[in-house]
Amino acid sequence: MSVPGDEPALTVAAVARRLGVAPATLRTWDRRYGLGPSSHAPGERRRYTSVDVARLERMRRLTHEGVSPADAARTALAGADPTRDRASAARGLPTPGGLLLELEPERAAGGPGGRIIAIPRAAGAVRGLARAAMSLDCAAVEEIVAAALASSGVIDTWDHLLCPVLRAVGDRWASTGEGVEVEHLLTEAVLGALRVVRAESLAVPTPRPALLCAAAGEEHCLPVHALAAALAERGVAARVLGPAMPDEGVVAAVRRTGAAVLFVWSHAPATAAAGFLADLPVMRPPTVVLVGGPGWRPADLRARATYTHDLGEAVHLVQLAAGVG
């Protein structure tokens, strides 16, 4: 199909591939901000023109730099020069999102939070998220995380934005005993954003599901939700059993669902007890058991489970076990 003037028009899937985002992201930008396709003929699906794609490319570039989605959309629709926005950010000037992306940590001290988390050599969005978290600015945290998820996806956002900030917040609490409220606010905001990703995905349940949980006594469950959201982006529906799942509950869930894969997260050695794995029911084909987190010692697992080193590897192994992707 072509639009007037023989200008080629692209489908949602084609534009998503070109920008490197999920089709669900484009639909969200259309619904929330009016950045949808402008070409439409009766009886045909709406298509993106080159002008539409240029706006979307500007939107993605600005959100990747830390600009809030709403402000990035306004800039994209207005046709503002994104190069000027980046130059302003590099000088420490406010961008449309109001973030000071390139300020050095020591220059950003003060404000409602009083202090910030210093993350040397971190990207601007990382420092912006750390500053918003320390200020307990929930709205800013949610906008930064949502923008990163929309532009870069779950795995990249987890590895390059969330993990550095979560690690720095945890280290600060461990060394000073302060900042537990920062960790809780940040965790809740991230959980909310990850649930939106799952809700807006087109993941299809499979006859033998993937079960995800945290080990018995393990309250840190955020990585489990990150895995569920990353799988949902790829069309894999997972069932999250939540934190501190008792061993007998895990065994019962595997038996009742005939799960194709079980993933168990442990943050601390005290919760990484692999003994219950011997009680898992025997399935045909067998349930693939994966574990992740610093609590596990791969040498102690023997052949009962496979240790996953990072989110990307866990997603890949779950997809293989579930027969998807």
Side-chain angles (χ1 to χ4, degrees), residues 15 27 52 62 64 79 99 150 166 172 196 215 250 286 293 297:
V15 175
R27 297 186 185 98
D52 298 329
L62 289 172
H64 189 69
L99 299 177
L166 288 164
R172 184 176 187 273
V196 169
V250 176
R297 289 184 45 171

Side-chain angles (χ1 to χ4, degrees), residues 118-249:
I119 310 179
R121 296 179 297 280
V126 173
R127 282 184 248 156
L129 179 60
R131 184 179 185 185
M134 281 298 293
S135 299
L136 299 182
D137 188 342
C138 187
V141 170
E142 290 173 347
E143 284 202 350
I144 294 170
V145 174
L149 290 170
S151 63
S152 302
V154 175
I155 294 177
D156 187 77
T157 298
W158 180 259
D159 288 343
H160 300 114
L161 175 63
L162 298 177
C163 278
V165 178
L166 288 164
R167 189 178 300 116
V169 170
D171 290 345
R172 184 176 187 273
W173 179 85
S175 62
T176 67
E178 299 177 352
V180 66
E181 71 284 358
V182 176
E183 181 181 4
H184 279 236
L185 180 139
L186 183 59
T187 297
E188 287 300 311
V190 173
L191 274 174
L194 293 173
R195 288 187 175 117
V196 169
V197 172
R198 292 182 66 192
E200 294 183 344
S201 75
L202 299 177
V204 178
T206 56
R208 299 186 65 204
L211 299 181
L212 318 178
C213 66
E218 180 57 72
E219 296 293 339
H220 291 82
C221 196
L222 191 58
V224 174
H225 289 276
L227 176 56
L231 289 168
E233 278 187 331
R234 290 154 180 78
V236 182
R239 303 182 190 182
V240 178
L241 303 179
M245 190 66 189
D247 294 345
E248 60 270 22

